Amino acid sequence: MVRALYTGYTGMYNEQNRLDIISNNIANAATTGYKQESVTSQAFDQMLAIKVRDGSDAYINRPIGRMSLGVKLGEVYTDYEQGSLRQTSGTYDMAISGSGFFQMRIPSQSGESVIKYTRDGNFNMTSEGFIVDRDGNHLQGLSGDLKVDPAAAEVTITKEGFVQVDGQITDRISLVDFEDYDYLEKYGDNMYQVVEGATIKEANAGIEQGYLEQSNVNVVSEMVDMITITRAYEANQKVIRSVDTMLDKASNQIGRV
């Protein structure tokens, strides 16, 4: 019976973690360029149960079989499927059509600059002409921080990423991609950083000026999963309550006989 308590607990703990991930997806459903996360569940590794010094078996330790300790959280993975594009007509709003990422230069805690990657193309221009995101991180071109003339009358960004200022090409937005997305980890809500072993390659993508990529979260599907998780959590609660009731009767009622 105690084993049943543990199984119910692991089920509740697993569903709570799943609920946290779905809640984060729903909270970021309106975040530009956000990629939803999903999670798998798996059984705990089986353990060998041994009868320890049982008087009915001449006090000899004997194996009695294997048992599972319940369920545990498996792999948390990101769905990199492209989200829908929403037209904004903003000069510095950009959406990536295809596989790839913008490169952003951001300050690190050590005071140095590091490169992070994002599909959030909600940019604007500073008074000095630099193209930055809402946090002030610099969008990268082939020559470094992307910069345009603040006094320019027209800024056009082609599908290939070329930046034309009043008809003259001044730079090209640097898009990159990766051989294996398993070597990416999330940095905040819509940025990514590489881990050791990542291989960068040229992006097979285009840039749509005046558009923003929406998150790829299906809110209806996530809400359905949330209801399913809630029901599973309640079922595990009932298991624990039932076992607790039986243990109470065994110790307080049967024990009196």
Side-chain angles (χ1 to χ4, degrees):
M1 290 186 188
V2 175
R3 175 180 165 189
L5 283 174
Y6 192 84
T7 301
Y9 155 73
T10 59
M12 292 174 64
Y13 182 76
N14 182 72
E15 298 304 330
Q16 180 63 57
N17 286 327
R18 291 179 61 202
L19 184 62
D20 290 342
I21 291 173
I22 288 180
S23 298
N24 185 60
N25 287 338
I26 294 176
N28 285 283
T31 300
T32 307
Y34 177 80
K35 302 302 177 187
Q36 74 170 7
E37 292 183 325
S38 300
V39 63
T40 61
S41 300
Q42 65 184 58
F44 270 105
D45 297 333
Q46 289 187 338
M47 299 185 64
L48 178 63
I50 298 177
K51 184 186 296 184
V52 180
R53 298 186 59 80
D54 188 348
S56 65
D57 204 3
Y59 298 99
I60 298 174
N61 295 346
R62 295 187 184 279
I64 58 177
R66 296 185 177 275
M67 68 175 183
S68 173
L69 297 181
V71 67
K72 65 179 179 180
L73 205 64
E75 177 188 8
V76 178
Y77 62 94
T78 302
D79 178 7
Y80 290 96
E81 182 180 355
Q82 181 170 327
S84 60
L85 303 187
R86 176 174 62 88
Q87 186 174 12
T88 65
S89 300
T91 301
Y92 301 107
D93 285 341
M94 308 175 213
I96 298 176
S97 178
S99 299
F101 298 85
F102 295 110
Q103 296 190 84
M104 307 299 299
R105 182 179 65 82
I106 68 175
S108 65
Q109 294 180 347
S110 62
E112 301 177 352
S113 294
V114 294
I115 298 297
K116 306 293 183 184
Y117 307 90
T118 186
R119 288 182 65 93
D120 183 358
N122 187 9
F123 303 120
N124 55 74
M125 183 181 66
T126 66
S127 58
E128 295 83 10
F130 291 105
I131 308 303
V132 299
D133 64 12
R134 68 192 72 183
D135 296 320
N137 303 312
H138 288 260
L139 175 63
Q140 297 298 287
L142 296 182
S143 59
D145 292 349
L146 188 63
K147 186 178 182 180
V148 299
D149 184 359
E154 181 181 24
V155 176
T156 303
I157 300 169
T158 69
K159 191 176 184 65
E160 294 76 21
F162 291 103
V163 180
Q164 297 179 348
V165 180
D166 291 337
Q168 299 294 319
I169 296 177
T170 59
D171 204 344
R172 185 180 185 183
I173 296 173
S174 180
L175 295 183
V176 298
D177 201 4
F178 299 90
E179 292 285 352
D180 190 344
Y181 288 172
D182 287 340
Y183 291 95
L184 289 179
E185 63 180 14
K186 282 200 170 183
Y187 180 84
D189 289 331
N190 56 7
M191 277 195 178
Y192 302 89
Q193 59 187 6
V194 297
V195 298
E196 185 177 355
T199 302
I200 297 177
K201 67 177 183 179
E202 184 178 354
N204 182 21
I207 295 178
E208 301 292 339
Q209 185 181 20
Y211 288 84
L212 290 176
E213 180 184 0
Q214 305 303 287
S215 73
N216 63 352
V217 176
N218 186 326
V219 177
V220 175
S221 176
E222 295 296 291
M223 290 295 293
V224 171
D225 288 343
M226 181 177 289
I227 295 172
T228 302
I229 289 172
T230 302
R231 299 285 173 80
Y233 188 90
E234 292 173 349
N236 282 286
Q237 279 184 318
K238 292 179 180 178
V239 169
I240 292 178
R241 288 172 182 164
S242 298
V243 174
D244 181 64
T245 300
M246 287 188 287
L247 289 174
D248 177 66
K249 290 182 179 180
S251 59
N252 295 320
Q253 297 181 20
I254 298 177
R256 294 175 184 174
V257 178

Short mmCIF file of all heavy atoms in Angstrom, two decimals, residues 98-131:
data_model
loop_
_atom_site.label_atom_id
_atom_site.label_comp_id
_atom_site.label_asym_id
_atom_site.label_seq_id
_atom_site.Cartn_x
_atom_site.Cartn_y
_atom_site.Cartn_z
N GLY A 98 11.12 30.62 -43.14
CA GLY A 98 12.01 29.49 -43.31
C GLY A 98 12.76 29.21 -42.02
O GLY A 98 12.41 29.71 -40.95
N SER A 99 13.81 28.43 -42.12
CA SER A 99 14.58 28.02 -40.94
C SER A 99 15.77 28.95 -40.76
O SER A 99 16.60 29.09 -41.67
CB SER A 99 15.08 26.58 -41.10
OG SER A 99 13.99 25.69 -41.22
N GLY A 100 15.87 29.55 -39.60
CA GLY A 100 16.99 30.45 -39.34
C GLY A 100 16.71 31.33 -38.14
O GLY A 100 15.60 31.34 -37.59
N PHE A 101 17.72 32.11 -37.76
CA PHE A 101 17.63 32.96 -36.58
C PHE A 101 18.36 34.28 -36.84
O PHE A 101 19.37 34.32 -37.54
CB PHE A 101 18.26 32.29 -35.36
CG PHE A 101 17.60 31.01 -34.94
CD1 PHE A 101 17.96 29.80 -35.53
CD2 PHE A 101 16.61 31.00 -33.97
CE1 PHE A 101 17.37 28.62 -35.15
CE2 PHE A 101 16.00 29.82 -33.58
CZ PHE A 101 16.39 28.62 -34.17
N PHE A 102 17.83 35.36 -36.25
CA PHE A 102 18.57 36.61 -36.18
C PHE A 102 19.68 36.45 -35.14
O PHE A 102 19.53 35.73 -34.15
CB PHE A 102 17.66 37.77 -35.74
CG PHE A 102 16.57 38.10 -36.71
CD1 PHE A 102 15.24 37.83 -36.39
CD2 PHE A 102 16.84 38.71 -37.92
CE1 PHE A 102 14.22 38.16 -37.26
CE2 PHE A 102 15.82 39.03 -38.81
CZ PHE A 102 14.50 38.76 -38.48
N GLN A 103 20.78 37.16 -35.37
CA GLN A 103 21.84 37.20 -34.38
C GLN A 103 21.78 38.52 -33.62
O GLN A 103 21.70 39.58 -34.23
CB GLN A 103 23.22 37.06 -35.05
CG GLN A 103 23.45 35.73 -35.74
CD GLN A 103 24.89 35.57 -36.16
OE1 GLN A 103 25.75 35.17 -35.40
NE2 GLN A 103 25.16 35.90 -37.41
N MET A 104 21.81 38.42 -32.28
CA MET A 104 21.72 39.60 -31.43
C MET A 104 22.94 39.69 -30.53
O MET A 104 23.35 38.70 -29.93
CB MET A 104 20.45 39.54 -30.57
CG MET A 104 19.16 39.31 -31.33
SD MET A 104 18.79 40.61 -32.53
CE MET A 104 18.65 42.04 -31.46
N ARG A 105 23.52 40.89 -30.45
CA ARG A 105 24.64 41.11 -29.53
C ARG A 105 24.07 41.68 -28.24
O ARG A 105 23.45 42.73 -28.22
CB ARG A 105 25.66 42.09 -30.12
CG ARG A 105 26.87 42.32 -29.21
CD ARG A 105 27.87 43.26 -29.85
NE ARG A 105 27.33 44.61 -30.01
CZ ARG A 105 27.31 45.53 -29.05
NH1 ARG A 105 27.74 45.24 -27.83
NH2 ARG A 105 26.82 46.74 -29.30
N ILE A 106 24.31 40.96 -27.15
CA ILE A 106 23.79 41.40 -25.86
C ILE A 106 24.92 41.42 -24.84
O ILE A 106 25.88 40.66 -24.95
CB ILE A 106 22.64 40.49 -25.36
CG1 ILE A 106 23.16 39.11 -25.01
CG2 ILE A 106 21.55 40.38 -26.41
CD1 ILE A 106 22.12 38.21 -24.40
N PRO A 107 24.84 42.28 -23.84
CA PRO A 107 25.88 42.33 -22.82
C PRO A 107 25.77 41.14 -21.87
O PRO A 107 24.67 40.70 -21.54
CB PRO A 107 25.61 43.65 -22.08
CG PRO A 107 24.15 43.90 -22.30
CD PRO A 107 23.82 43.34 -23.64
N SER A 108 26.89 40.60 -21.45
CA SER A 108 26.91 39.51 -20.49
C SER A 108 27.17 40.05 -19.09
O SER A 108 27.48 41.23 -18.90
CB SER A 108 27.98 38.48 -20.86
OG SER A 108 29.26 39.06 -20.75
N GLN A 109 27.06 39.19 -18.08
CA GLN A 109 27.29 39.62 -16.71
C GLN A 109 28.73 40.04 -16.47
O GLN A 109 29.01 40.83 -15.56
CB GLN A 109 26.90 38.49 -15.75
CG GLN A 109 25.41 38.17 -15.76
CD GLN A 109 25.06 37.06 -14.79
OE1 GLN A 109 25.93 36.37 -14.29
NE2 GLN A 109 23.77 36.89 -14.53
N SER A 110 29.64 39.52 -17.28
CA SER A 110 31.06 39.88 -17.13
C SER A 110 31.39 41.21 -17.77
O SER A 110 32.52 41.68 -17.68
CB SER A 110 31.93 38.78 -17.74
OG SER A 110 31.68 38.65 -19.13
N GLY A 111 30.41 41.82 -18.44
CA GLY A 111 30.65 43.11 -19.10
C GLY A 111 31.01 42.97 -20.56
O GLY A 111 31.06 43.97 -21.29
N GLU A 112 31.26 41.75 -21.03
CA GLU A 112 31.56 41.52 -22.43
C GLU A 112 30.26 41.28 -23.20
O GLU A 112 29.19 41.08 -22.62
CB GLU A 112 32.50 40.33 -22.58
CG GLU A 112 33.83 40.50 -21.85
CD GLU A 112 34.70 39.26 -21.97
OE1 GLU A 112 34.19 38.23 -22.49
OE2 GLU A 112 35.87 39.32 -21.55
N SER A 113 30.35 41.29 -24.52
CA SER A 113 29.18 41.05 -25.37
C SER A 113 29.18 39.62 -25.87
O SER A 113 30.24 39.05 -26.18
CB SER A 113 29.17 42.02 -26.55
OG SER A 113 29.00 43.35 -26.11
N VAL A 114 28.00 39.02 -25.93
CA VAL A 114 27.86 37.67 -26.45
C VAL A 114 26.75 37.67 -27.49
O VAL A 114 25.91 38.58 -27.53
CB VAL A 114 27.52 36.67 -25.32
CG1 VAL A 114 28.69 36.53 -24.36
CG2 VAL A 114 26.26 37.09 -24.57
N ILE A 115 26.76 36.67 -28.35
CA ILE A 115 25.76 36.55 -29.40
C ILE A 115 24.70 35.54 -28.98
O ILE A 115 25.00 34.42 -28.59
CB ILE A 115 26.41 36.11 -30.73
CG1 ILE A 115 27.43 37.15 -31.20
CG2 ILE A 115 25.33 35.91 -31.81
CD1 ILE A 115 26.85 38.51 -31.50
N LYS A 116 23.45 35.97 -29.04
CA LYS A 116 22.30 35.10 -28.83
C LYS A 116 21.47 35.08 -30.11
O LYS A 116 21.69 35.89 -31.03
CB LYS A 116 21.45 35.57 -27.64
CG LYS A 116 22.21 35.76 -26.35
CD LYS A 116 22.74 34.47 -25.77
CE LYS A 116 23.43 34.70 -24.44
NZ LYS A 116 24.03 33.46 -23.89
N TYR A 117 20.51 34.18 -30.16
CA TYR A 117 19.76 33.97 -31.39
C TYR A 117 18.26 34.06 -31.11
O TYR A 117 17.78 33.64 -30.05
CB TYR A 117 20.12 32.62 -31.99
CG TYR A 117 21.62 32.45 -32.17
CD1 TYR A 117 22.39 31.90 -31.16
CD2 TYR A 117 22.25 32.88 -33.33
CE1 TYR A 117 23.76 31.77 -31.29
CE2 TYR A 117 23.63 32.76 -33.47
CZ TYR A 117 24.38 32.21 -32.45
OH TYR A 117 25.74 32.11 -32.58
N THR A 118 17.53 34.62 -32.07
CA THR A 118 16.09 34.80 -31.87
C THR A 118 15.37 34.81 -33.21
O THR A 118 15.99 35.05 -34.26
CB THR A 118 15.81 36.12 -31.13
OG1 THR A 118 14.42 36.21 -30.83
CG2 THR A 118 16.21 37.31 -31.97
N ARG A 119 14.06 34.57 -33.15
CA ARG A 119 13.20 34.76 -34.32
C ARG A 119 12.26 35.92 -34.10
O ARG A 119 11.37 36.18 -34.91
CB ARG A 119 12.43 33.47 -34.62
CG ARG A 119 13.32 32.35 -35.19
CD ARG A 119 12.50 31.13 -35.53
NE ARG A 119 11.56 31.37 -36.59
CZ ARG A 119 11.80 31.15 -37.90
NH1 ARG A 119 12.98 30.70 -38.28
NH2 ARG A 119 10.86 31.36 -38.80
N ASP A 120 12.42 36.62 -33.01
CA ASP A 120 11.61 37.80 -32.72
C ASP A 120 12.17 38.98 -33.50
O ASP A 120 13.24 39.50 -33.20
CB ASP A 120 11.64 38.09 -31.21
CG ASP A 120 10.76 39.27 -30.82
OD1 ASP A 120 10.14 39.87 -31.73
OD2 ASP A 120 10.68 39.57 -29.63
N GLY A 121 11.44 39.42 -34.51
CA GLY A 121 11.91 40.50 -35.36
C GLY A 121 11.28 41.84 -35.06
O GLY A 121 11.17 42.70 -35.95
N ASN A 122 10.87 42.04 -33.81
CA ASN A 122 10.25 43.31 -33.42
C ASN A 122 11.36 44.30 -33.05
O ASN A 122 11.73 44.45 -31.89
CB ASN A 122 9.32 43.07 -32.23
CG ASN A 122 8.51 44.31 -31.87
OD1 ASN A 122 8.52 45.30 -32.61
ND2 ASN A 122 7.83 44.27 -30.76
N PHE A 123 11.89 45.00 -34.06
CA PHE A 123 13.02 45.90 -33.88
C PHE A 123 12.59 47.35 -34.03
O PHE A 123 11.53 47.67 -34.56
CB PHE A 123 14.13 45.59 -34.89
CG PHE A 123 14.62 44.17 -34.85
CD1 PHE A 123 14.52 43.34 -35.96
CD2 PHE A 123 15.19 43.65 -33.69
CE1 PHE A 123 14.99 42.04 -35.93
CE2 PHE A 123 15.64 42.35 -33.64
CZ PHE A 123 15.55 41.55 -34.76
N ASN A 124 13.47 48.22 -33.56
CA ASN A 124 13.29 49.66 -33.79
C ASN A 124 14.66 50.31 -33.93
O ASN A 124 15.69 49.67 -33.70
CB ASN A 124 12.49 50.29 -32.64
CG ASN A 124 13.11 50.02 -31.29
OD1 ASN A 124 14.14 50.60 -30.93
ND2 ASN A 124 12.51 49.12 -30.52
N MET A 125 14.68 51.58 -34.29
CA MET A 125 15.93 52.29 -34.52
C MET A 125 16.18 53.29 -33.40
O MET A 125 15.28 54.01 -32.98
CB MET A 125 15.90 53.03 -35.87
CG MET A 125 17.20 53.75 -36.22
SD MET A 125 17.12 54.62 -37.80
CE MET A 125 15.91 55.90 -37.42
N THR A 126 17.44 53.31 -32.92
CA THR A 126 17.81 54.27 -31.89
C THR A 126 18.11 55.63 -32.53
O THR A 126 18.15 55.76 -33.76
CB THR A 126 19.05 53.79 -31.12
OG1 THR A 126 20.19 53.78 -32.00
CG2 THR A 126 18.83 52.40 -30.56
N SER A 127 18.33 56.62 -31.70
CA SER A 127 18.63 57.96 -32.22
C SER A 127 19.96 57.98 -32.97
O SER A 127 20.18 58.84 -33.82
CB SER A 127 18.66 58.97 -31.07
OG SER A 127 19.62 58.59 -30.09
N GLU A 128 20.85 57.01 -32.66
CA GLU A 128 22.13 56.94 -33.37
C GLU A 128 22.04 56.13 -34.67
O GLU A 128 23.00 56.06 -35.43
CB GLU A 128 23.21 56.31 -32.48
CG GLU A 128 23.57 57.12 -31.25
CD GLU A 128 22.60 56.86 -30.11
OE1 GLU A 128 21.78 55.91 -30.23
OE2 GLU A 128 22.64 57.60 -29.11
N GLY A 129 20.88 55.49 -34.89
CA GLY A 129 20.70 54.73 -36.12
C GLY A 129 20.88 53.23 -35.97
O GLY A 129 20.77 52.50 -36.96
N PHE A 130 21.15 52.74 -34.76
CA PHE A 130 21.33 51.30 -34.56
C PHE A 130 19.96 50.62 -34.50
O PHE A 130 18.99 51.16 -33.97
CB PHE A 130 22.10 51.01 -33.27
CG PHE A 130 23.55 51.42 -33.31
CD1 PHE A 130 23.99 52.56 -32.66
CD2 PHE A 130 24.46 50.65 -34.03
CE1 PHE A 130 25.32 52.94 -32.71
CE2 PHE A 130 25.80 51.02 -34.09
CZ PHE A 130 26.24 52.16 -33.43
N ILE A 131 19.89 49.40 -35.05
CA ILE A 131 18.67 48.61 -35.03
C ILE A 131 18.76 47.67 -33.83
O ILE A 131 19.66 46.84 -33.75
CB ILE A 131 18.50 47.81 -36.33
CG1 ILE A 131 18.62 48.74 -37.55
CG2 ILE A 131 17.15 47.09 -36.33
CD1 ILE A 131 17.64 49.89 -37.54
#
